């Protein structure tokens, strides 16, 4: 898949699914068919219909792993990475089921990663520039500098720019880095999983890079909230619980840089006020965000068990 020295890289995709739309998932699988050596689909309890649909596709390189229940994105990614390791993968590319990579995305990421390695860098992950059609502009790669966010634009940075972390979907990771950094933190369940792993990688001497020449369409959250002419990601009250709980859990971790904690903490305060006022129903969102903060302060992780 590249002009690198032998043996040639073996790139395996890991797609995490949770009640996916089959048409959308089919587009992703078809888009990746010519880009990857194998694809592991790890399902978080969608039921037999998805397993039957994957089997009916009849693609030998599409390997289905059913978890039977929703164990969270971190656990699903770990199971997928473990299966990719069994398949002899040298690199793993992570995807959500609703992502749409460009036809050359994986090859561009791999070229970027191999080039960085040839320059003596230690990339833990390389990710594409992603676009959400519901947003006004493609989100730039971001680095924390003091209490502010530095937005990295291609005109200034060239093709690859070092960042604090990357969103998981579309992210290409060498298995050698995963072996050193370790698994995704399953106690986080969902949200901040990619951030924690990226920061943990940095604490172990690795780096994360955004690659401007690689592109992917990806939707963040539900239908955006529009305020003063700008679209902001919207999420369910349950996702807000995980977002605020896991933010607090990260603030308690020693390998997370102090500047990042301060910058993200300031943004969390602003996010709380924004969603408490504008997300509907406001009471549910505020209640779940407060519950998440409280559980984070108590050090509670894992899946939130809700009363039926």
């Amino acid at each position: 898949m590249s002009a690198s020295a032998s043996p040639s890289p073996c790139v395996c995709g890991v797609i995490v699914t949770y009640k996916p739309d089959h048409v959308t998932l089919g587009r992703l699988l078809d888009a990746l068919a010519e880009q990857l050596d194998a694809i592991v689909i790890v399902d978080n309890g969608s039921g037999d219909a998805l397993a039957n649909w994957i089997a009916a596709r009849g693609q030998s390189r599409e390997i289905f792993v059913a978890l039977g229940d929703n164990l969270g994105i971190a656990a699903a990614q770990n199971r997928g990475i473990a299966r990719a390791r069994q398949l002899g993968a040298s690199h793993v590319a992570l995807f959500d089921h609703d992502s749409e990579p460009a036809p050359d995305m994986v090859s561009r990421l791999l070229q970027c990663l191999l080039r960085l390695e040839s320059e003596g860098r230690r990339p833990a992950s390389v990710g594409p520039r992603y676009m959400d059609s519901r947003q006004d502009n493609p989100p730039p790669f971001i680095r924390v500098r003091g209490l502010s966010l530095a937005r990295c634009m291609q005109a200034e940075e060239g093709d690859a720019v070092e960042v604090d972390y990357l969103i998981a979907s579309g992210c290409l990771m060498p298995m050698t880095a995963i072996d050193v950094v370790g698994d995704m933190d399953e106690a986080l369940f969902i949200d901040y999983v990619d951030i924690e792993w990226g920061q943990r990688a940095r604490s172990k001497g690795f780096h994360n890079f955004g690659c401007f020449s690689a592109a992917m369409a990806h939707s963040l959250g539900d239908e955006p909230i529009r305020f003063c002419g700008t679209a902001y990601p919207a999420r369910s009250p349950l996702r807000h619980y995980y977002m605020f709980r896991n933010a607090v859990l990260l603030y308690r971790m020693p390998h997370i840089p102090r500047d990042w904690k301060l910058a993200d903490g300031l943004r969390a305060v602003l996010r709380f006020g924004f969603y408490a006022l504008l997300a509907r129903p406001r009471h549910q969102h505020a209640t779940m965000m407060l519950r998440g903060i409280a559980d984070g302060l108590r050090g509670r992780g894992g899946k939130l068990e809700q009363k039926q």
Side-chain angles (χ1 to χ4, degrees):
M1 294 184 65
S2 82
S4 65
S6 60
S8 297
C10 175
V11 184
C12 180
V14 172
I15 302 173
V16 176
T17 59
Y18 177 68
K19 300 180 180 179
D21 173 74
H22 292 181
V23 174
T24 301
L25 178 57
R27 284 199 300 264
L28 173 60
L29 291 169
D30 292 341
L32 293 175
E34 299 301 320
Q35 300 194 54
L36 297 169
D37 295 290
I39 303 173
V40 179
I41 304 118
V42 185
D43 181 62
N44 261 324
S46 300
D48 293 337
L50 179 61
N52 294 336
W53 180 81
I54 294 292
R57 286 175 57 86
Q59 301 297 317
S60 61
R61 292 191 298 167
E62 295 177 2
I63 301 162
F64 186 72
V65 177
L67 299 184
D69 193 8
N70 185 6
L71 303 184
I73 193 167
Q77 288 171 345
N78 288 338
R79 304 304 190 277
I81 291 169
R83 188 60 180 272
R85 184 180 285 108
Q86 293 174 352
L87 295 171
S90 61
H91 298 75
V92 174
L94 302 179
F95 295 95
D96 294 341
H97 65 245
D98 56 354
S99 299
E100 297 183 38
D104 61 351
M105 189 202 81
V106 175
S107 63
R108 287 187 178 274
L109 289 178
L110 185 58
Q111 290 169 10
C112 182
L113 187 148
L114 294 175
R115 183 175 67 252
L116 290 165
E117 289 181 335
S118 71
E119 296 170 355
R121 310 298 292 271
R122 298 181 72 200
S125 61
V126 179
R129 174 176 49 89
Y130 70 92
M131 294 162 285
D132 187 336
S133 61
R134 304 167 307 173
Q135 304 290 335
D136 300 322
N137 296 295
F141 296 115
I142 292 174
R143 292 179 300 200
V144 171
R145 292 295 179 266
L147 293 179
S148 63
L149 299 178
R151 300 181 181 276
C152 309
M153 309 306 291
Q154 185 171 3
E156 302 172 359
E157 302 287 350
D159 185 49
V161 58
E162 184 175 348
V163 294
D164 297 324
Y165 65 91
L166 296 162
I167 66 168
S169 191
C171 186
L172 179 69
M173 309 156 69
M175 195 67 78
T176 52
I178 298 172
D179 290 340
V180 175
V181 178
D183 290 343
M184 306 296 163
D185 188 342
E186 297 186 13
L188 298 177
F189 192 76
I190 192 171
D191 286 315
Y192 278 83
V193 174
D194 41 16
I195 296 175
E196 188 280 327
W197 192 91
Q199 295 286 17
R200 182 162 21 114
R202 295 180 72 222
S203 74
K204 294 179 180 291
F206 289 89
H207 306 277
N208 308 291
F209 295 90
C211 179
F212 288 101
S213 63
M216 184 184 76
H218 181 69
S219 298
L220 287 176
D222 301 322
E223 189 63 28
I225 297 173
R226 297 195 173 273
F227 180 72
C228 294
T230 302
Y232 296 91
R235 298 171 181 86
S236 68
L238 181 60
R239 286 297 297 271
H240 275 149
Y241 165 84
Y242 286 116
M243 176 180 289
F244 281 83
R245 185 199 70 179
N246 291 350
V248 175
L249 289 176
L250 260 67
Y251 303 157
R252 297 160 56 97
M253 296 179 180
H255 61 273
I256 305 296
R258 183 185 62 178
D259 285 355
W260 188 90
K261 294 177 182 178
L262 293 173
D264 192 76
L266 177 60
R267 293 176 66 206
V269 171
L270 297 175
R271 281 196 299 264
F272 183 94
F274 179 85
Y275 289 113
L277 290 174
L278 296 179
R280 307 282 181 171
R282 287 179 292 188
H283 175 72
Q284 288 185 20
H285 283 274
T287 298
M288 292 302 284
M289 288 187 288
L290 289 171
R291 184 176 178 182
I293 293 170
D295 282 354
L297 291 172
R298 297 185 184 102
R300 292 180 178 173
K303 183 178 181 179
L304 176 66
E305 300 298 337
Q306 295 180 287
K307 295 180 180 180
Q308 300 297 321

